[in-house]
């Protein structure tokens, strides 16, 4: 395969590369990393498979397929599988509807079709592919915690493959490899941060009494899309909806003396970031809101002090818990305060491991985490929140989605 590299001028860094090839159909391949970076990722995966005693891995997680070969599709919600083997195998098993996406975005040239037919077996197509690679009796890894591996498909695979080869849970192999980002990946994380920050400032300016929530969020989407970013259906709302940690349908109008929670996310080339903040409207501002806001600032600063190379995820959670407890809010804090960020498709931008009590995962330079301080006092109906996405360094983290520390008050 011959590839040329073009620089995407929408990002200032020269690491934002698009490799373009011509295949036998004379179509261009659109990938967002250098070919050498994809090859290095594939090498590391094959090395990890060998270390885990696996002859190959059947991928159902679209994020991993994007990371390994550039495939950009929502087709995984119906069916799409990819196989990577220790001996150099790299194969798509897909539907006819996704062939164009493969031609457009995937480095992988070995494509096998599963026919969308009545009672047509997806697992039989997978088995045929594995058989063509001589994998009978071999040990094959599966990803059991992805949105592309529903129980129905898993049971179908077991029915066809049990006794023919050995299946093993290999859900975490690529997730662990993807936690630490390359310089090219961090370029996209920073660009996503720039896009989200601009959109957030526009939303803050619009959030005033009488503003319609649909107009506010629509302006955010417009800003993100106009900057070549990706949008999410994120937690957002005024009034009682301000207490929700999830999106809910039905737009409201911002009232006087209101609280409006934002937890927006944006992506660039599928690399996601998020932030979190609360806007308060006047003319009357509850003093308890100001106290809660100060507690969130204290907690976020404490968490970011702990968010550095060599510390554990559990230590980060304890910084969150102890800071809010010292401010008198242990009863109102959540039992998780963030998670890694990176490549994600709908329905969530959250990755694992979440920041929870006692998690032993060791943080490393180049990892990216979103940390959120959320106080929800159900006894009073009041809420406050503050969150930022940060790149871990050997010193203090690099904040890529900064939010105001002072209370945001709009009349």
């Amino acid at each position: 395969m011959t590839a040329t590299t073009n620089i995407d001028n929408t990002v200032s860094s020269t690491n934002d590369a698009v490799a373009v090839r011509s295949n036998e159909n004379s179509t261009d391949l659109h990938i967002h990393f250098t070919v050498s970076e994809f090859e290095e990722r594939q090498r590391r995966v094959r090395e990890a498979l060998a270390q885990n005693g696996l002859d190959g891995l059947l991928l159902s997680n679209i994020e991993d397929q994007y990371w390994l070969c550039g495939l950009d599709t929502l087709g995984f919600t119906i069916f799409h599988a990819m196989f990577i083997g220790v001996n150099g195998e790299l194969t798509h098993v897909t539907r006819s509807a996704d062939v164009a996406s493969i031609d457009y975005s995937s480095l992988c040239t070995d494509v096998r079709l599963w026919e969308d037919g009545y009672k047509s077996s997806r697992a039989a197509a997978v088995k045929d592919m594995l058989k063509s690679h001589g994998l009978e009796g071999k040990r094959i890894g599966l990803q059991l915690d992805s949105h592309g591996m529903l129980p129905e498909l898993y049971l179908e695979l077991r029915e066809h493959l049990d006794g023919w080869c050995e299946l093993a849970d290999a859900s975490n192999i690529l997730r662990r490899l993807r936690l630490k980002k390359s310089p090219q990946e961090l370029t996209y994380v920073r660009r996503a941060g720039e896009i989200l920050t601009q959109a957030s400032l526009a939303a803050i300016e619009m959030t005033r009494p009488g503003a319609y929530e649909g107009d506010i969020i629509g302006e955010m989407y417009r800003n993100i899309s106009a900057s070549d970013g990706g949008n999410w259906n994120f937690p957002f709302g005024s009034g009682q909806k301000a207490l929700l940690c999830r999106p809910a349908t039905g737009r409201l109008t911002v009232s006087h003396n209101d609280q409006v929670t934002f937890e927006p996310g944006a992506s660039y080339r599928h690399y996601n970031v998020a932030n979190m903040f609360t806007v308060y409207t006047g003319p009357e501002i509850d003093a308890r809101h100001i106290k809660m806001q100060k507690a969130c600032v204290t907690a976020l600063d404490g968490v970011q002090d702990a968010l550095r190379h060599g510390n554990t995820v559990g230590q980060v959670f304890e910084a969150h818990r102890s800071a809010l407890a010292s401010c008198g809010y242990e009863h109102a804090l959540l039992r998780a305060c963030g998670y890694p960020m990176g490549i994600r498709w709908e329905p969530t931008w959250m990755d694992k491991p979440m920041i929870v009590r006692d998690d032993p995962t060791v943080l490393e330079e180049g990892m990216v985490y979103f940390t959120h301080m959320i106080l929800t006092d159900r006894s009073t109906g009041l809420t406050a929140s503050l969150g930022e996405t940060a790149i871990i360094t050997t010193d203090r983290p690099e904040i890529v989605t900064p939010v105001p520390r002072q209370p945001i008050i709009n009349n």
Side-chain angles (χ1 to χ4, degrees):
M1 180 189 70
T2 301
T4 58
T5 301
N6 297 330
I7 301 301
D8 183 345
N9 292 323
T10 61
V11 178
S12 57
S13 171
T14 58
N15 284 327
D16 186 5
V18 179
V20 181
R21 71 168 181 189
S22 294
N23 67 13
E24 58 196 14
N25 296 318
S26 300
T27 58
D28 287 336
L29 178 67
H30 295 74
I31 56 175
H32 302 293
F33 294 93
T34 60
V35 173
S36 61
E37 173 138 348
F38 281 116
E39 291 174 343
E40 172 61 15
R41 294 172 184 177
Q42 292 168 20
R43 185 200 64 78
R44 290 169 59 202
V45 170
R46 292 190 172 102
E47 184 178 83
L49 293 177
Q51 290 171 351
N52 284 272
L54 294 168
D55 296 288
L57 174 62
L58 190 65
L59 297 163
S60 54
N61 189 358
I62 186 59
E63 290 85 356
D64 294 332
Q65 297 176 50
Y66 177 79
W67 188 75
L68 277 174
C69 69
L71 180 63
D72 194 349
T73 179
L74 276 171
F76 70 94
T77 59
I78 300 175
F79 171 68
H80 186 96
M82 181 178 168
F83 179 76
I84 180 169
V86 294
N87 295 319
E89 305 93 339
L90 195 68
T91 305
H92 288 300
V93 182
T94 191
R95 305 165 60 238
S96 58
D98 269 304
V99 171
S101 294
I102 292 171
D103 286 344
Y104 184 82
S105 62
S106 177
L107 279 171
C108 177
T109 57
D110 183 5
V111 182
R112 317 292 178 86
L113 285 183
W114 165 71
E115 183 180 352
D116 294 270
Y118 179 65
K119 293 188 177 180
S120 178
S121 172
R122 297 163 294 180
V126 170
K127 185 176 181 179
D128 285 345
M129 177 271 295
L130 295 175
K131 187 182 297 184
S132 75
H133 291 310
L135 292 164
E136 183 175 1
K138 302 296 186 179
R139 191 163 184 259
I140 307 300
L142 294 179
Q143 296 179 315
L144 301 181
D145 64 346
S146 79
H147 297 294
M149 181 63 76
L150 296 177
E152 178 187 49
L153 177 57
Y154 173 68
L155 293 174
E156 187 181 330
L157 287 168
R158 293 299 300 261
E159 179 183 352
H160 281 73
L161 297 177
D162 274 352
W164 186 85
C165 66
E166 181 184 352
L167 298 176
D169 182 5
S171 301
N172 289 324
I173 290 178
L174 266 80
R175 175 176 290 119
R176 293 188 182 118
L177 290 176
R178 289 197 294 108
L179 275 177
K180 185 172 181 177
K181 309 298 188 290
S182 72
Q184 290 186 41
E185 291 177 291
L186 292 178
T187 295
Y188 293 156
V189 169
R190 293 185 180 100
R191 178 56 183 155
E194 294 169 358
I195 292 170
L196 181 60
T197 299
Q198 187 61 40
S200 298
L201 291 173
I204 289 171
E205 179 61 29
M206 292 182 66
T207 306
R208 301 178 183 277
Y212 175 53
E213 289 181 354
D215 291 333
I216 297 170
I217 201 169
E219 180 61 16
M220 290 200 77
Y221 287 158
R222 189 199 66 78
N223 270 272
I224 293 170
S225 294
S227 299
D228 198 17
N231 288 314
W232 287 88
N233 182 23
F234 48 75
F236 162 69
S238 58
Q240 188 178 358
K241 284 175 62 182
L243 278 67
L244 305 182
C245 292
R246 300 288 180 264
T249 190
R251 301 298 182 201
L252 306 177
T253 297
V254 179
S255 302
H256 290 283
N257 310 324
D258 210 339
Q259 54 187 357
V260 187
T261 295
F262 288 83
E263 190 181 358
S267 68
Y268 188 78
R269 303 301 185 254
H270 292 298
Y271 282 81
N272 297 279
V273 297
N275 64 25
M276 196 166 191
F277 54 91
T278 307
V279 176
Y280 308 104
T281 62
E284 299 175 11
I285 303 299
D286 195 313
R288 293 172 295 181
H289 266 147
I290 304 303
K291 182 181 177 183
M292 294 171 77
Q293 172 76 15
K294 290 180 178 178
C296 287
V297 171
T298 299
L300 186 58
D301 287 343
V303 162
Q304 290 177 350
D305 281 339
L307 197 70
R308 63 185 66 204
H309 179 89
N311 285 349
T312 67
V313 167
Q315 286 176 287
V316 176
F317 177 82
E318 178 56 24
H320 156 261
R321 186 209 61 78
S322 61
L324 291 178
S326 71
C327 297
Y329 288 108
E330 187 158 15
H331 68 287
L333 60 84
L334 299 183
R335 299 306 169 185
C337 67
Y339 35 80
M341 297 292 272
I343 309 168
R344 289 298 282 175
W345 259 253
E346 294 84 349
T348 180
W349 64 55
M350 297 188 295
D351 218 331
K352 297 177 182 177
M354 296 187 73
I355 303 175
V356 296
R357 186 189 307 273
D358 299 330
D359 190 291
T361 303
V362 177
L363 302 175
E364 295 182 46
E365 182 181 8
M367 291 182 178
V368 180
Y369 271 83
F370 171 50
T371 57
H372 54 65
M373 313 299 109
I374 302 174
L375 290 178
T376 301
D377 192 337
R378 301 193 182 282
S379 64
T380 62
L382 300 180
T383 187
S385 55
L386 203 65
E388 296 173 329
T389 299
I391 299 170
I392 295 173
T393 72
T394 55
D395 195 13
R396 286 192 60 82
E398 175 189 347
I399 309 303
V400 295
T401 60
V403 293
R405 291 297 201 269
Q406 296 300 317
I408 304 171
I409 300 172
N410 287 346
N411 294 315

